[in-house]
Amino acid sequence: IELKLKPVFAAFEDKNQPLANAVDGKPATAWVVRENARKDKTKNEQVKEDIQKKIEADAELKNAKGQVFMDIDSEGLRIQVVDEKGKPLFSSGGTVPSVSARRLLRIIGKSIQMAPGPVRIEGHSDGAKFGNGETGYTNWELSTDRANVARRELIAGGLDPALIVQVIGFAN
């Protein structure tokens, strides 16, 4: 599962292009755009730290540290929650999250509630093929179903559903 928290403001590097607010497209001054980008980065850093502290403080999830990767780039905060050997988020071919995956997603949902921008959720499958062929249930449906399960768990953790702008499934 991958979560992306996109910044609300975008700046153009081309000096001939006006700076614009990414939400409504209206012109914005360079100072306002850059100031908001800096505030977004600081807020994303706070969200990242909050998630790390909550995982560290949870006796069960303390061992799940290797399943959560977070980085901040020009697109915002990216949170990846991945399988680890012997600790799958979902059983192979399944859409029911493990107890620790559910708990982890709810902690993340509570923390990203204070993030500066919209949330995009990406689901991935384990790549195992289904026996019913390409016209039946495939990894495309599985990855999308998993992304929707993650969406529901994030909301159960406290994330405002209005912040979620995309739920996407990827497959091999």
Side-chain angles (χ1 to χ4, degrees):
I1 303 296
E2 187 170 313
L3 310 169
K4 292 184 180 178
L5 288 73
K6 301 281 187 177
V8 177
F9 292 91
F12 296 96
E13 291 300 318
D14 183 350
K15 303 279 188 245
N16 297 323
Q17 283 280 347
L19 294 169
N21 178 323
V23 174
D24 60 14
K26 294 179 181 173
T29 63
W31 183 84
V32 171
V33 172
R34 289 193 179 93
E35 182 65 20
N36 279 309
R38 188 170 67 233
K39 285 179 185 175
D40 285 352
K41 185 173 182 185
T42 300
K43 196 64 167 169
N44 280 329
E45 288 168 352
Q46 290 171 347
V47 171
K48 181 180 173 183
E49 287 174 22
D50 188 59
I51 293 168
Q52 289 169 331
K53 285 178 186 174
K54 287 178 180 173
I55 291 171
E56 194 64 38
D58 188 300
E60 182 184 327
L61 293 180
K62 202 173 200 177
N63 296 327
K65 286 191 304 194
Q67 290 183 267
V68 181
F69 299 93
M70 295 182 280
D71 60 271
I72 299 170
D73 62 18
S74 62
E75 291 189 7
L77 174 62
R78 180 175 64 165
I79 304 167
Q80 297 179 75
V81 184
V82 300
D83 288 339
E84 193 173 57
K85 188 173 183 160
K87 296 185 215 170
L89 300 171
F90 299 90
S91 61
S92 184
T95 60
V96 177
S98 67
V99 172
S100 61
R102 179 170 287 162
R103 190 178 184 121
L104 185 57
L105 288 167
R106 289 181 182 203
I107 283 174
I108 292 170
K110 180 79 171 166
S111 296
I112 62 176
Q113 178 61 35
M114 55 186 182
V119 177
R120 174 178 150 163
I121 303 168
E122 297 178 0
H124 299 267
S125 64
D126 56 17
K129 300 286 184 209
F130 287 92
N132 55 3
E134 293 300 313
T135 59
Y137 192 82
T138 67
N139 279 323
W140 288 104
E141 288 84 9
L142 176 62
S143 62
T144 303
D145 289 346
R146 286 180 174 182
N148 267 312
V149 167
R151 177 190 59 78
R152 288 191 294 272
E153 292 301 330
L154 292 166
I155 291 168
L159 179 62
D160 179 356
L163 292 175
I164 301 170
V165 294
Q166 287 180 319
V167 180
I168 303 169
F170 291 92
N172 302 357

